[in-house]
Amino acid sequence: MTATSTIYELETRDQKINQVKVFTDRAEVRRHVKVALKAGVNEVILKNLSSKLISGSMRVEGRGNATIHDVVVKNVASLKQESDSPKLAIIRATLQEEKARLQNIEDRGSVVQKSIENLDKVFGQVGGGLVNPPKEGGVSLNEGTLTSLKNLFDFYGTNSENYREKLRTIEVEHRQQQEIVKKIEQEIHQIQNNFHMNTLTQAATITLECVEDAEAELDIIYQVHNAGWSPSYDIRVDTEKPSMQITYFGKIRQHTDEDWNGAPLVLSTAQPCLGGRIPELGTLEAVFRSRHFEIQYSTRQSATSGLFGSASPQQATLFSSSSAPPPPPQPMAVAVASEVTQNTLSTEFKILRDATIPHGTNDHKVTIGIVTLTPKLVHETVPSKNASAFLTASAVNTSDLAFLSGDSSVYLNNAFVAKSHLKNVSPGERFSCSLGVDTAIRVEYKPAKKYHEEGGYITKHSANVTEQTISIKNTRSEQPVLLTIKHHVPRSTDEKIRVKLVAPSATPYDSEKGTNETENTEPAEGAKFNSSNNLEWTVKLAPNSSQDLVIKYVVEHPKDETVQYHEKF
């Protein structure tokens, strides 16, 4: 670099964040940098980049009469204080203050300790001069001497007691201050461990050239690991209206060693980790295996560029001085907390409120939208597994939001009932949500009646008959209930095994019609087989009524064979 280069050193964390686009496994940060360039070559150095920076992900865009010649990211040596985050810098300053207080306490304790030692020394010298006999052998004790001794003892007792009391107080204060210092040192140590701090940090050097002095604006865009988002939902069902309100949240985690302060957020469903290149398929050749050598297969791999690359001298980028600024955010609409953009391969949710998400955040919730639907409340039971009736809300997603697979908290009439999981639901698709057990619907699974028959004139065969009775009762006095009973009917895997449903009369599964219907279609009264060959029998229970449902089927097979039943999912 020539001697005429102008160098600008900037702290990355001090540059304004224009946008953070959070993917499911990473985040893309866009920071805005303003710099006054000098004519000639300029170097803008961004210090203390995130340690989670993804290699090769940085790119630079901007506006102004200048040309980007180079973008280089490298490790540079630094002192710990130089790479401190704002929070850590404040804690270090606090530690220095507390250490100064500790030293002050130690100094006061030394003064008091010296005072006690000197007092003891003076008391010994003066007292010895008063009571020790003179060299001639006589003892001089008179009223004056006794008065002096009394005054000496009083002086020593009072001052010695005061000094020792001060020393004990100072010792307590010293221990407390030591604990404060130790706590702050542990906090610094913990932060350093979390941030993996060392003497090396990453810095980006952006080389620019302009013909004359000019103001330039740079957009620094880079990706970081240890960040992502996942959907979650609050589903509130009101059985009186009925209505279903779904609050769609995005849960953000952030461990990128940098803070996102006042950041406009975009949540994206794109998955950059999967790449965008179709794998190549070579020719598979069949040959005889040789005993002398092993055939080597090689797969030709072509270099795949990342989503973001650094500018190079051969691909210099010219700023456009007429670039339009980003459009202002739209005002928040009623019951919607984000703008939805449907791209070819992904969906983006632009959160309409800026957020501050510090490093170390595991569960920062932002609202994507609120959807109100009109559900159909149905009851389902699988009595062979659990003799309970489960209330289910079935609804069509009439909103423009695509619900992604995520955890949900379900509330029924403002009471929390369960943690559940919502599957992917596209706009216009029907879905269902379990609301828990309805104790007003009683289900009794009675012991099955099983008996064996034999027949046939030429070829003897056996028939196993199973008759299952299920008693159901609606104890509600004000409204009827639509209840679907799901039950096994064996499916034959051998032409010698024949299964016949005697009761009830059920509609067979239509594979062509089934592919065109959603899995969670609204149930209708009657019996039918589903795609798993299970019986689904839907009945309507009037208030304060009960029914006995009988499921009967026959399994025929050769007499000398034994049929076993295996449940497969």
Side-chain angles (χ1 to χ4, degrees):
M1 194 56 57
T2 63
T4 59
S5 298
T6 305
I7 298 176
Y8 304 88
E9 290 191 352
L10 305 174
E11 279 288 341
T12 301
R13 65 175 69 96
D14 294 335
Q15 310 311 308
K16 180 184 176 182
I17 295 179
N18 276 354
Q19 186 188 82
V20 175
K21 183 178 290 187
V22 186
F23 300 96
T24 55
D25 68 331
R26 66 189 66 193
E28 178 187 276
V29 182
R30 179 185 290 262
R31 291 185 182 271
H32 185 67
V33 177
K34 289 184 177 181
V35 61
L37 301 177
K38 300 293 183 181
V41 179
N42 299 263
E43 286 187 358
V44 178
I45 301 176
L46 291 176
K47 301 189 300 182
N48 296 319
L49 291 168
S50 169
S51 63
K52 307 304 179 185
L53 178 72
I54 297 177
S55 177
S57 69
M58 178 168 286
R59 64 187 178 96
V60 179
E61 298 174 355
R63 292 169 294 277
N65 294 321
T67 303
I68 300 177
H69 280 286
D70 205 2
V71 178
V72 178
V73 179
K74 60 182 180 180
N75 290 328
V76 296
S78 67
L79 299 175
K80 287 185 177 181
Q81 288 77 3
E82 294 176 343
S83 59
D84 281 349
S85 65
K87 177 181 179 181
L88 187 54
I90 293 174
I91 296 176
R92 282 194 192 277
T94 303
L95 177 61
Q96 296 302 320
E97 294 176 359
E98 296 300 336
K99 282 186 174 181
R101 292 191 181 95
L102 180 62
Q103 185 62 49
N104 180 265
I105 294 172
E106 291 176 351
D107 294 342
R108 286 163 44 205
S110 297
V111 171
V112 174
Q113 183 64 42
K114 285 289 185 182
S115 299
I116 294 174
E117 292 174 358
N118 291 331
L119 183 63
D120 290 342
K121 184 177 180 181
V122 170
F123 178 77
Q125 292 177 347
V126 175
L130 290 174
V131 302
N132 286 342
K135 293 181 180 180
E136 292 77 8
V139 177
S140 177
L141 286 176
N142 51 39
E143 186 175 350
T145 302
L146 294 174
T147 302
S148 298
L149 282 174
K150 181 179 181 303
N151 292 337
L152 176 62
F153 290 151
D154 291 342
F155 174 82
Y156 175 79
T158 301
N159 287 275
S160 178
E161 183 179 348
N162 290 339
Y163 282 133
R164 282 173 168 80
E165 180 65 27
K166 285 183 180 180
L167 186 59
R168 285 191 293 270
T169 302
I170 291 173
E171 288 174 348
V172 172
E173 190 177 351
H174 185 265
R175 287 194 297 271
Q176 293 174 345
Q177 190 64 24
Q178 279 183 320
E179 292 178 359
I180 293 174
V181 171
K182 183 178 179 181
K183 181 180 178 182
I184 297 175
E185 288 176 339
Q186 290 175 344
E187 185 176 2
I188 292 176
H189 181 69
Q190 182 66 37
I191 293 176
Q192 289 176 335
N193 287 342
N194 291 341
F195 278 75
H196 307 290
M197 289 186 173
N198 50 45
T199 57
L200 292 178
T201 62
Q202 293 193 89
T205 302
I206 305 165
T207 305
L208 309 166
E209 185 177 10
C210 55
V211 178
E212 58 184 6
D213 294 358
E215 294 286 336
E217 296 183 3
L218 304 175
D219 287 330
I220 312 298
I221 307 162
Y222 57 91
Q223 290 188 359
V224 285
H225 282 305
N226 286 16
W229 78 281
S230 58
S232 68
Y233 306 88
D234 273 359
I235 302 177
R236 297 181 180 271
V237 177
D238 187 343
T239 58
E240 297 296 329
K241 295 183 179 179
S243 69
M244 174 189 287
Q245 186 182 78
I246 301 177
T247 306
Y248 193 169
F249 295 108
K251 289 196 303 183
I252 301 172
R253 63 184 184 279
Q254 206 272 72
H255 295 268
T256 63
D257 290 353
E258 64 179 6
D259 297 334
W260 300 339
N261 296 317
L265 290 178
V266 174
L267 307 184
S268 175
T269 62
Q271 295 180 303
C273 61
L274 298 182
R277 186 180 180 88
I278 301 176
E280 295 183 7
L281 190 63
T283 302
L284 185 65
E285 298 178 345
V287 297
F288 289 107
R289 182 176 181 180
S290 173
R291 297 185 180 184
H292 302 290
F293 61 93
E294 224 176 87
I295 299 174
Q296 301 290 333
Y297 291 93
S298 63
T299 303
R300 181 163 56 93
Q301 297 180 348
S302 59
T304 304
S305 59
L307 290 179
F308 303 99
S310 301
S312 63
Q314 291 78 13
Q315 296 176 332
T317 303
L318 181 66
F319 285 151
S320 172
S321 58
S322 61
S323 297
Q330 298 295 323
M332 186 177 295
V334 177
V336 176
S338 67
E339 294 177 356
V340 183
T341 303
Q342 296 286 350
N343 298 321
T344 305
L345 299 177
S346 64
T347 303
E348 291 184 353
F349 305 106
K350 180 181 179 182
I351 308 303
L352 299 183
R353 294 183 61 185
D354 294 349
T356 295
I357 307 178
H359 164 82
T361 300
N362 288 317
D363 188 4
H364 181 98
K365 275 189 177 181
V366 294
T367 304
I368 293 175
I370 301 175
V371 178
T372 301
L373 308 175
T374 302
K376 181 72 174 179
L377 299 179
V378 297
H379 290 76
E380 296 179 346
T381 181
V382 186
S384 62
K385 303 281 188 178
N386 188 336
S388 300
F390 293 84
L391 179 62
T392 302
S394 176
V396 175
N397 181 11
T398 56
S399 72
D400 295 330
L401 293 176
F403 300 146
L404 304 178
S405 177
D407 296 330
S408 61
S409 299
V410 183
Y411 298 83
L412 180 62
N413 297 329
N414 292 324
F416 176 76
V417 292
K419 282 282 188 181
S420 185
H421 190 84
L422 188 66
K423 296 181 179 180
N424 291 325
V425 182
S426 301
E429 185 179 5
R430 178 175 290 277
F431 67 100
S432 62
C433 174
S434 177
L435 304 177
V437 175
D438 187 351
T439 56
I441 309 300
R442 298 177 183 174
V443 180
E444 183 182 358
Y445 193 65
K446 297 184 178 180
K449 297 178 181 178
K450 297 182 179 181
Y451 49 92
H452 181 75
E453 296 178 349
E454 292 186 359
Y457 294 100
I458 300 176
T459 304
K460 297 294 183 180
H461 67 269
S462 296
N464 296 323
V465 181
T466 301
E467 183 176 322
Q468 179 67 60
T469 301
I470 303 170
S471 297
I472 55 177
K473 183 177 182 179
N474 180 11
T475 62
R476 286 196 176 90
S477 59
E478 70 280 359
Q479 59 184 7
V481 169
L482 202 65
L483 178 62
T484 298
I485 297 92
K486 298 182 178 181
H487 198 274
H488 276 313
V489 173
R491 176 170 58 186
S492 173
T493 59
D494 191 297
E495 62 181 5
K496 296 179 181 180
I497 301 175
R498 291 180 296 175
V499 180
K500 180 183 178 181
L501 179 65
V502 179
S505 177
T507 304
Y509 176 72
D510 188 342
S511 58
E512 293 184 1
K513 185 178 179 182
T515 56
N516 297 325
E517 294 181 352
T518 60
E519 184 179 348
N520 296 309
T521 54
E522 183 177 336
E525 288 188 71
K528 65 177 182 178
F529 283 98
N530 61 19
S531 59
S532 301
N533 199 67
N534 291 324
L535 181 68
E536 294 184 356
W537 192 355
T538 302
V539 296
K540 192 172 186 177
L541 276 173
N544 289 323
S545 66
S546 61
Q547 293 185 33
D548 284 340
L549 305 179
V550 178
I551 299 174
K552 183 177 180 180
Y553 58 86
V554 179
V555 180
E556 294 182 353
H557 58 87
K559 180 181 178 182
D560 297 332
E561 301 288 344
T562 301
V563 177
Q564 293 181 331
Y565 302 99
H566 299 284
E567 184 177 10
K568 293 185 177 181
F569 294 90

